[in-house]
Structures are given as structure tokens and as C-alpha cells.
Amino acid sequence: MMQQTPAAELLLAVARRFAGIESPEGMRLCTSRVTDWRAAMDLARAHGMEPLAAYYINTDCAGMFAPEFHKRLRAILVGNTAKFVVLSTDLIKVLRILEGRGIPVVPLKGPVLAEKLFSEIPWRDSCDLDLLIPRIDIGRAKDALVDAGYRLDCELRSGEENAAFHWTSQLILYPDGIGPALDLHWELLPSLFPCARYFDSVWQRLQHSAFDDLEILALSAEDQLFFLCAHAARHSWHGLRHAVDIARLIHVSPNLDWDSIIHAARGSDGVKVLALGLWMVNRLLEVDLPETALRFANAEIDGRQFASRLLERMVITDPEQYETSSELRLQLQLANGWWPKLRCAAGYVLLPTAAEGVLRLPASLFFLYYLYRPIRLTAKYGMKFFRMISGEITRTHAPTDGLITGKG
């Protein structure tokens, strides 16, 4: 990898410490090299790792800094704990509402994943709650939550609702007041995403777990690993915390059935998605993978330029500066074969998004959304391409007076 700044080196040390790889002595060494602490904590915050950085700096590096600095670190942890309490309280309330209606639900990410991976502190900063619900129960779940005071993120007439949500795999609701948004998913990944078929039978592999005083449904460790790899790929590995989640899960799950994960990936067009996740944590965070998993990841990813670019940019760039267009590009590179690539590209071009929703078409004209999005994309990016070409022509034929006359 390219040479890292002291702030980036510290962030990687925090990630490796969390994954059980870095030692307290290594943390102190990296910490001693940082001179710009504002930049270091800004970078940690941008990558969703500010609470983890504050925790390990405060515990492993006690006595290295003035009391006022440690006080600021503790304030970060207190603030994140308050957010965690709010999220957890709302999650428990929602789970009880849905349980009362007999609706199965699986909490995704958020407080449940945070507690599963590391219960010492509320380290995972989330702003909403993601829940997986059977497609057949989405309508009942929405009605139950609306009755409890939640509202949809858009106001649709009953005749438009099914059409408006037809192209999505989630439904967003907001509380009546202050609180986190609820994302109700009936698919773990959009159906056109590479490897989405992996989760077709996920409901058959759920396990029972506990959160607070509730018994909940949870993904198996193997499905959780694949989901985290797929979630990172879907968002173009937008930040170091994607790698941190995967590395920590591997660390706390010594009995992972690697053969079954790899076999399932091969049967669902998910080979590159899983291999990239394992390759990234091995190369970036030095996670020690079993020989089977390491050989699988290296065989699929070694030498691929897109993976090397992801690795290089991971901590040298603020995630806010990443190209949003890289998401589709990465998904096409991960799709295995021309048909999955075509499906992925068609989904991007044809499936409407919130930007098309402003049309507010009635349900009977739903099909027009599929025509409007390609037209909008052509207008948006076609004109950009035309302006770029026009600029090149203008520069090519620009007057050369300055070159001829020079100065004076």
C-alpha cells in the first residue's frame, strides 16, 4: 500500500486492535506519531470509527495525554452511549409491536450487531434501524407501525402504494417525534444485485438469539459474514468500518463453517463478493484467514486492479470524497458472467429511484417510471459527456496567440 499519514496509520491500528491483531504497545506507538489530533479524529469520524478510536486511545494510551484530552475522549463515548440507548429502546419497542401482531422480524446491523461483536462499549454509530420482514407480512407490519404513531416517508394514496414500492426492497417509516427511522426490508439485497440469490433461503437458516430481555431471530454467523461482505460491495466499500465489521465477526466466530460459506457463494453468483471481503480484511487489516478461505480469496481477487484501487483509497481518502459512480462500476466487476452484468446494469438504468418519485404518477401509469429514468439519466450524463467533448474541441482549436507572441 501507499505510505499512510500518521492519522491513517492510527486508524488502521484501531481497526486491527478491534480485530484482535494489534497489541496495546502497537497502539501506543501509532498514537505517539500523531501530531494533528483534529485531523485524526475527523478521519475516524468519517469512517464511522470515532467511538472505537476514542475507546482504545483512552484505555491503551492512558497517561500519554493531558487529562483534558482524555476527558474529550470520554465525552465521545458518553455521547455515543446516549445514541445507543435511544436506538436500543426504539428497537425493543418496535420488536414488541411486531411480535404482538405475530410478524417475524430479524434486526439487521444496528444495536444487535454492535452488541454481538463487542459488548464493552456502544461502538457502532447508527442513525436508523434496519429490520428484515417476510415480504408477505410487509403490509401488516406497516399498518401496525402506523397505528403506533409511525408515518411513511412519503404520502401516497392507497391505490399508488403497491406500485410505488414495487421497485424497491425496503419501506422507510419515521416516528411521530424525535427518534430513528425504520427501514423495513423484505430482501437483504435488491434482486438485481450480484449474489442476491444467496439470501433466497435465509429464513430457513435463522437462529434464536437474545437482545436485552427479548428472544429475537438472527442471521447465522455464516449468513452474517456474507451479508456484511455484500453490504460493503453494494456501497463500494465506502469506509473502513465495512472492513472492521467483517474482521471483528471473524475474530469472534472461530467456528465459522468456511466450506459451506464458499459453497453457497459459488452457487449464487457471490464468489467475487465474498472473496473481495475476505481479501480486503486480509490485506488491509492482516486478518489471519484459514487456508481454505485465504486460497479462495487470493484465487479470485489477486491481481485485479479494481481491488487494488479499493485497498489504496480506503484510508487515504475521506469517504465523502469517494466517487458515487464507482458503486455501479464495482457491482459490474463483481457480477459473474455477462447475464448478471446485464441484469445489474439494467437495474441501474431502468429501476426508478426516489428522484423519479417526484413525478407522483398514478398506479395505472406505473410503467412510465421505467421510461422516465433512462431519459433522465441520458439528459444528466449525456449533457455532461457532450460538454466534456465540447471542451476538448474548444481547447484543441483555441487561439495560439500566446504561443506565437510569447511574453513582451
Side-chain angles (χ1 to χ4, degrees), residues 38-171:
R38 180 182 296 275
M41 297 309 291
D42 284 348
L43 185 64
R45 188 180 310 111
H47 283 271
M49 292 179 56
E50 186 182 36
L52 275 182
Y55 175 75
Y56 283 116
I57 295 169
N58 198 46
T59 55
D60 289 346
C61 307
M64 289 181 62
F65 304 100
E68 184 61 30
F69 182 73
H70 285 286
K71 183 178 179 180
R72 291 202 297 270
L73 295 177
R74 288 192 293 272
I76 292 171
L77 297 175
V78 169
N80 206 62
T81 299
K83 294 179 185 177
F84 182 85
V85 170
V86 171
L87 280 171
S88 299
T89 302
D90 275 65
L91 175 60
I92 292 169
K93 180 180 73 173
V94 169
L95 292 177
R96 285 176 172 156
I97 290 171
L98 297 178
E99 181 184 30
R101 300 288 182 97
I103 299 172
V105 56
V106 182
L108 303 171
K109 303 179 291 180
V112 172
L113 180 62
E115 191 169 277
K116 174 184 175 66
L117 297 185
F118 191 60
S119 59
E120 295 295 323
I121 60 164
W123 61 276
R124 219 172 178 277
D125 190 7
S126 303
C127 59
D128 56 14
L129 294 170
D130 294 273
L131 305 172
L132 178 66
I133 292 172
R135 182 189 295 269
I136 194 173
D137 292 320
I138 281 292
R140 290 200 304 128
K142 181 211 71 176
D143 291 341
L145 292 168
V146 169
D147 290 345
Y150 285 85
R151 56 182 173 80
L152 293 171
D153 65 337
C154 55
E155 295 180 3
L156 297 171
R157 294 184 291 273
S158 58
E160 298 175 338
E161 189 172 282
N162 287 337
F165 297 134
H166 176 77
W167 65 75
T168 70
S169 59
Q170 69 179 37
L171 181 65

Side-chain angles (χ1 to χ4, degrees), residues 145-326:
L145 292 168
V146 169
D147 290 345
Y150 285 85
R151 56 182 173 80
L152 293 171
D153 65 337
C154 55
E155 295 180 3
L156 297 171
R157 294 184 291 273
S158 58
E160 298 175 338
E161 189 172 282
N162 287 337
F165 297 134
H166 176 77
W167 65 75
T168 70
S169 59
Q170 69 179 37
L171 181 65
I172 304 176
L173 298 101
Y174 294 93
D176 186 14
I178 299 175
L182 299 180
D183 287 6
L184 306 185
H185 301 261
W186 49 95
E187 295 176 341
L188 283 171
L189 291 172
S191 59
L192 297 181
F193 184 80
C195 83
R197 289 193 300 114
Y198 178 97
F199 297 106
D200 286 350
S201 58
V202 70
W203 285 95
Q204 301 170 18
R205 301 189 296 271
L206 293 177
Q207 299 178 349
H208 290 276
S209 185
F211 182 74
D212 197 64
D213 61 344
L214 294 179
E215 181 178 337
I216 64 170
L217 295 173
L219 299 178
S220 68
E222 290 77 15
D223 285 345
Q224 184 72 71
L225 175 61
F226 194 94
F227 173 63
L228 291 176
C229 290
H231 182 69
R234 183 187 176 191
H235 295 285
S236 193
W237 284 83
H238 190 88
L240 185 59
R241 200 176 76 177
H242 290 303
V244 167
D245 286 344
I246 296 168
R248 181 68 184 184
L249 178 63
I250 293 172
H251 177 63
V252 300
S253 308
N255 297 319
L256 281 168
D257 187 344
W258 290 100
D259 289 336
S260 73
I261 300 173
I262 294 172
H263 177 76
R266 293 192 189 282
S268 60
D269 300 323
V271 168
K272 291 179 183 175
V273 171
L274 175 62
L276 178 61
L278 301 180
W279 187 86
M280 287 289 284
V281 297
N282 174 256
R283 297 304 176 90
L284 185 66
L285 303 181
E286 302 173 8
V287 171
D288 187 18
L289 297 172
E291 181 61 29
T292 300
L294 182 60
R295 187 167 58 248
F296 163 76
N298 287 340
E300 296 295 334
I301 303 299
D302 259 359
R304 297 187 179 272
Q305 290 187 359
F306 74 86
S308 299
R309 286 195 295 268
L310 285 176
L311 192 65
E312 294 293 348
R313 82 170 191 187
M314 183 59 72
V315 292
I316 63 172
T317 309
D318 187 313
E320 294 301 321
Q321 299 172 6
Y322 291 172
E323 294 181 60
T324 55
S325 61
S326 63

Side-chain angles (χ1 to χ4, degrees), residues 100 124 159 271 323 351 383-384 404:
R124 219 172 178 277
V271 168
E323 294 181 60
L351 292 186
M383 289 302 296
K384 184 177 180 180
I404 297 173

